[in-house]
Amino acid sequence: MKMRKFAAVLLAIVLLCAAVPNVAFAQDNFSFDTAKKISLNTTTACMGSGRSVYYKFTINEPGYIQITIEHEYDSAYLYCKLYDDPQKSHIQFLVSDKESIIAKGNKIGFDKGTYYLGIESESNYNDLEFDLTVNFTPADDWERERNDNVVTANDLKLGEVMHGTIDYNNKQDYFKFVIPSDGMYKLSMTHEYSEGSSYGIYAEIETYDGTKEKRVDTMSCFNDYGQTSKTFSLSAGTYYLWLDSQLCSADYTVRIDKVKSSSGGSSGRISINIPFVSFSVRGTLSSTSMPSIPTSSSMLLTRSTA
């Protein structure tokens, strides 16, 4: 009897195990709703198929990320799309193929929040194994996507460097800055080298009245220059800096500084030179202290700044 009961229990266990799918290989992250959560700065072993698989990660403070995908197949393609909102189009696109089995995306800045990755594989294999890493670095001096219009423009403070990324998919960025007083201001830009000597970033300073953007001036930063700057005459007010990718995919920096005036103040000394007499007077001139000046055909009055 005992042996029969044991055999019956063992058979029940075997049948139950056969009915339950292998959890180690089960995969159901085929939508944003079922996206698999991954940790930052950690490599995750993933499985791809002909369908898109989805992953999500959470950032708890502002900073920038960089995505790395690695596989070991010589005839496979992996297409990775980065989303900041499932209801919107992707914000970055990364391809890992047989010629680049290790693919790194550009750095991209974000505010705190939850973000998604959609990865689709194309290969001669039914299942494709790959490693996925999302590296995150906290930073207060990086742009925060999406800043692709005047409404979502990032604040740019005078005298401070702002870092950002621009590429073919995320091809424009907006920054908002305030000019406290009329004067000359310098815009400085740099960007990493982008393949193709004529590739670069186009910059435009604009005003915005709530309905329409108006161009004030422009500048371009291309590979031939490496780093460039331009000085603008600006009145006090609020302005926007629009950056547009000219076939460029690279990290960049922008900075706006007030140009200091080269002229000095007056010392209060006045020198008067006339053909017949030369003298200097300090202090306040009055009719009682002013020497008589001979009548002459011409004279030259100069103010010394020494």
Side-chain angles (χ1 to χ4, degrees):
M1 287 293 294
K2 290 183 178 180
M3 289 299 295
R4 289 180 180 178
K5 287 183 178 180
F6 177 77
V9 171
L10 182 61
L11 178 60
I13 293 174
V14 170
L15 293 174
L16 181 62
C17 291
V20 176
N22 190 330
V23 176
F25 295 97
Q27 185 166 341
D28 62 354
N29 55 328
F30 298 119
S31 69
F32 287 109
D33 292 335
T34 59
K36 179 181 178 181
K37 187 174 182 178
I38 60 174
S39 300
L40 298 171
N41 303 316
T42 301
T43 298
T44 302
C46 303
M47 181 74 72
S49 63
R51 302 173 62 180
S52 293
V53 289
Y54 291 84
Y55 300 87
K56 64 181 180 180
F57 58 91
T58 299
I59 297 175
N60 295 318
E61 58 183 317
Y64 63 88
I65 67 166
Q66 187 170 33
I67 302 168
T68 302
I69 294 179
E70 182 176 359
H71 65 81
E72 297 180 350
Y73 303 90
D74 58 2
S75 59
Y77 292 83
L78 285 169
Y79 307 98
C80 177
K81 296 179 181 180
L82 171 63
Y83 299 84
D84 61 335
D85 186 338
Q87 304 301 320
K88 296 181 180 180
S89 62
H90 63 274
I91 199 170
Q92 190 179 64
F93 183 67
L94 175 64
V95 178
S96 176
D97 56 29
K98 61 184 179 181
E99 296 178 355
S100 58
I101 59 175
I102 300 178
K104 274 190 176 182
N106 287 331
K107 299 172 185 175
I108 184 167
F110 285 122
D111 205 344
K112 60 183 180 180
T114 298
Y115 300 89
Y116 296 83
L117 297 172
I119 302 176
E120 182 180 354
S121 60
E122 179 183 318
S123 69
N124 296 326
Y125 310 91
N126 292 328
D127 295 315
L128 182 66
E129 297 179 5
F130 61 93
D131 290 334
L132 172 64
T133 308
V134 179
N135 287 315
F136 171 73
T137 302
D140 291 325
D141 58 351
W142 266 79
E143 63 159 335
R144 300 173 190 178
E145 296 289 350
R146 303 183 178 220
N147 56 331
D148 54 3
N149 57 60
V150 292
V151 177
T152 59
N154 290 174
D155 289 334
L156 177 61
K157 296 181 180 180
L158 297 184
E160 295 185 6
V161 175
M162 180 66 73
H163 297 260
T165 300
I166 203 163
D167 58 33
Y168 315 113
N169 295 285
N170 174 32
K171 72 181 303 290
Q172 61 182 16
D173 290 328
Y174 276 80
F175 296 94
K176 178 181 178 180
F177 61 97
V178 176
I179 296 299
S181 59
D182 299 357
M184 302 300 294
Y185 293 83
K186 182 174 72 172
L187 169 62
S188 302
M189 293 179 57
T190 68
H191 72 77
E192 292 181 345
Y193 185 83
S194 183
E195 186 178 353
S197 61
S198 62
Y199 298 171
I201 301 174
Y202 170 81
E204 187 170 294
I205 292 179
E206 304 175 339
T207 57
Y208 179 64
D209 60 5
T211 58
K212 186 178 181 181
E213 299 171 42
K214 182 179 180 181
R215 184 174 63 187
V216 176
D217 213 329
T218 65
M219 186 185 83
S220 295
C221 180
F222 288 88
N223 284 337
D224 294 339
Y225 301 95
Q227 177 180 0
T228 188
S229 63
K230 186 174 179 180
T231 301
F232 305 90
S233 177
L234 300 175
S235 302
T238 299
Y239 295 84
Y240 294 85
L241 175 64
W242 171 48
L243 304 181
D244 183 65
S245 169
Q246 303 291 297
L247 301 177
C248 179
S249 179
D251 296 344
Y252 66 80
T253 67
V254 292
R255 175 173 174 154
I256 297 178
D257 295 281
K258 183 174 176 59
V259 178
K260 294 181 179 179
S261 175
S262 59
S263 61
S266 172
S267 66
R269 175 183 176 127
I270 300 177
S271 296
I272 302 177
N273 297 292
I274 57 177
F276 305 101
V277 62
S278 177
F279 54 87
S280 294
V281 180
R282 290 183 183 274
T284 304
L285 298 180
S286 67
S287 58
T288 57
S289 62
M290 184 72 178
S292 59
I293 301 176
T295 302
S296 176
S297 58
S298 66
M299 59 183 179
L300 174 66
L301 305 181
T302 61
R303 168 180 280 181
S304 171
T305 59

